[in-house]
Amino acid sequence: MKKITVYSTPTCVYCTQLKNYLQENKVEFEAIDLSQNMEEGQKLIAKTGQMGVPQTSIQELDENGEVKKEDFVIGFNVEQINSLLGIS
Amino acid sequence: MKYDLLIIGGAAAGLTAGLYAARRALKTLVISKDLGGQVSTTPTVENYPGFIEPQGGYDLMERFKKQAEKWGSEFKMAEVASLKKEGEIFKVETSVGEIEARAVILAFGKKSRHLGITNEGEFDGKGISYCVTCDGPLFKDKVTAVVGGGNAAVEAAEILSKIARKVYLIHRGDKFKAEAVNVDRIKDRDNVEFVLNTTVKSAHGDGMLTHVMTQNKDGGEKKLELDGLFVEIGFEVKADFVKDLVETDEQNQIITDPKQQTKTPGLFAAGDLTTNPYKQIVISAGEGCTAALAAYEYLEQGTASLDWSSGAT
């Protein structure tokens, strides 16, 4: 099972495009608005070293809900999103 | 994948071309790495004829896309790696596989110009940004700088002045090209400082950007400690992958005839990447329309044919 989180800001159009793209492809995700939640922002920047949005976390969970693996996609990178989520 | 017409770029020019081509019953694909290009980054559009109320740039581009799709044009988000013409057929390598097309319209617009300094790529997304509306909110209470002297730079400084602790506006000239009303809006803000007659020479940091070295016109170098550097120095055409197939001007813009035809038969160009002097949504749409109709005429008269029995989707 996969848990997808999109980190974005409200004025970022690439974030909007990314979220629309996921919705069009019926991918469920949680959206975190970093302009309202800098604490999450700091955690994210510490993890990825990237001070830009959008960033997408794709976590693979085991049957107990523990994170087995986490991938990050930086920016609206359709190719990477497609390959990690199996969208064709 | 085989198409009559492949359109590279999904904003005003490309999507209008898609609409017109599909209405002429051409099997048409618009391929683009995003939707709406530069228009999408514009919060409001107030000069597109027929829309009296301001439109969100992205919303307007979504309307363009829906209208093109309504008439049968396909849309795919993907990147193009290379384009070549073999005989009468264009072969295009993309991130979703090879596409063959009988005609191609280039409509991928312009991209943010980079500073061209060493280490710029290293700090891309690690302190250097080309999109203040995207990344600006991450720099709350930080020290930032904007590079540039036009409206985009001054507007970026205005946005940042409400988020960041400090905003330097670094401009190589002594006067801004931006409209006076925009400059006036920020010049008295306590946290905004103009750094004129100055260019950025290099970027430094340890993983994340910590400072840049600047140089003023008298040659004096100075260290400027920063968390974020926003580059707003205009746009450029990145058309290297077609450079053998088109003529360009000194700004790398693609030269076409009045029917948007490039020097390669069957290859057209439309929108901000052409030499037209005014970069406007309505002009891009008009050029996209012309290119699609000219491509239709070319295909009707021409001999470019594809074997549709294999690989046609």
Side-chain angles (χ1 to χ4, degrees):
Chain A
M1 195 200 141
K2 286 192 165 83
K3 179 174 185 283
I4 292 135
T5 311
V6 176
Y7 297 89
S8 61
T9 60
T11 46
C12 155
V13 289
Y14 301 105
C15 304
T16 309
Q17 293 201 27
L18 169 64
K19 288 188 267 187
N20 288 352
Y21 184 78
L22 292 176
Q23 273 160 5
E24 276 165 27
N25 286 286
K26 313 253 181 303
V27 176
E28 280 186 32
F29 61 89
E30 187 190 348
I32 295 183
D33 174 0
L34 295 184
S35 72
Q36 298 301 319
N37 195 340
M38 238 4 243
E39 215 172 290
E40 282 296 322
Q42 293 306 343
K43 275 193 232 164
L44 178 71
I45 292 162
K47 260 191 203 173
T48 65
Q50 289 285 328
M51 237 176 150
V53 284
Q55 294 190 44
T56 307
S57 147
I58 300 170
Q59 291 181 329
E60 217 155 295
L61 307 180
D62 65 15
E63 54 277 20
N64 302 319
E66 298 289 323
V67 180
K68 281 197 296 190
K69 185 172 169 249
E70 182 170 27
D71 289 305
F72 282 95
V73 178
I74 311 299
F76 180 27
N77 185 330
V78 182
E79 234 170 287
Q80 235 181 321
I81 295 267
N82 285 354
S83 94
L84 285 168
L85 294 178
I87 300 170
S88 56
Chain B
M1 289 177 283
K2 297 182 182 189
Y3 290 90
D4 289 316
L5 177 64
L6 174 69
I7 298 161
I8 304 172
L15 295 168
T16 305
L19 167 65
Y20 273 79
R23 281 172 59 87
R24 294 284 162 126
L26 296 181
K27 185 170 158 52
T28 303
L29 173 68
V30 180
I31 191 167
S32 183
K33 62 179 204 164
D34 63 2
L35 170 62
Q38 271 188 59
V39 180
S40 280
T41 65
T42 310
T44 53
V45 175
E46 297 181 316
N47 57 4
Y48 193 73
F51 290 91
I52 297 161
E53 297 303 322
Q55 299 290 306
Y58 180 68
D59 295 343
L60 183 63
M61 289 297 102
E62 267 198 321
R63 286 171 180 270
F64 273 54
K65 174 172 174 267
K66 282 190 183 136
Q67 194 176 6
E69 284 176 330
K70 177 184 157 190
W71 289 95
S73 191
E74 294 173 41
F75 185 91
K76 245 190 199 29
M77 290 228 183
E79 290 201 44
V80 171
S82 70
L83 185 159
K84 60 186 176 195
K85 194 177 183 192
E86 282 181 11
E88 299 282 303
I89 301 300
F90 291 93
K91 297 203 169 170
V92 188
E93 292 293 337
T94 77
S95 54
V96 289
E98 190 186 71
I99 295 171
E100 292 185 332
R102 299 166 65 212
V104 173
I105 298 174
L106 306 172
F108 48 82
K110 293 189 163 187
K111 302 274 174 295
S112 298
R113 190 188 299 279
H114 288 197
L115 287 168
I117 56 173
T118 9
N119 298 348
E120 187 169 4
E122 188 186 319
F123 295 108
D124 187 350
K126 299 177 191 299
I128 296 183
S129 168
Y130 306 89
C131 181
V132 74
T133 54
C134 303
D135 303 334
L138 303 181
F139 290 82
K140 192 166 163 34
D141 300 325
K142 305 265 185 197
V143 179
T144 61
V146 177
V147 188
N151 277 324
V154 172
E155 280 165 22
E158 201 273 333
I159 292 170
L160 283 171
S161 72
K162 291 186 277 190
I163 300 167
R165 174 154 51 93
K166 176 86 190 176
V167 185
Y168 297 101
L169 180 51
I170 304 171
H171 177 40
R172 64 181 172 186
D174 61 351
K175 282 196 185 71
F176 291 105
K177 278 180 291 171
E179 290 168 55
V181 54
N182 287 333
V183 179
D184 288 347
R185 201 174 290 153
I186 58 168
K187 69 169 195 261
D188 295 327
R189 292 207 181 154
D190 291 340
N191 62 344
V192 175
E193 184 177 331
F194 293 168
V195 185
L196 300 175
N197 297 310
T198 299
T199 54
V200 175
K201 302 305 287 179
S202 55
H204 306 270
D206 182 15
M208 299 298 246
L209 182 74
T210 55
H211 65 279
V212 296
M213 294 305 293
T214 64
Q215 187 171 43
N216 69 22
K217 71 168 193 230
D218 303 319
E221 287 206 9
K222 214 175 131 188
K223 177 178 171 183
L224 200 58
E225 294 197 359
L226 291 176
D227 301 299
L229 182 73
F230 289 82
V231 180
E232 295 285 352
I233 53 170
F235 295 89
E236 63 187 351
V237 182
K238 294 200 170 142
D240 285 353
F241 74 107
V242 289
K243 69 176 189 311
D244 298 333
L245 299 174
V246 300
E247 298 285 351
T248 54
D249 69 2
E250 70 286 350
Q251 292 175 60
N252 215 24
Q253 301 181 123
I254 297 172
I255 295 167
T256 70
D257 73 3
K259 288 189 174 178
Q260 308 302 133
Q261 166 82 56
T262 68
K263 75 166 184 183
T264 302
L267 182 64
F268 301 82
D272 283 359
L273 53 65
T274 71
T275 56
N276 87 62
Y278 305 112
K279 308 303 182 190
Q280 295 294 320
I281 302 168
V282 66
I283 291 174
S284 290
E287 288 195 357
C289 166
T290 302
L293 296 177
Y296 174 75
E297 201 175 274
Y298 164 83
L299 291 172
E300 282 291 287
Q301 291 165 358
T303 53
S305 64
L306 277 170
D307 174 11
W308 296 101
S309 61
S310 68
T313 50

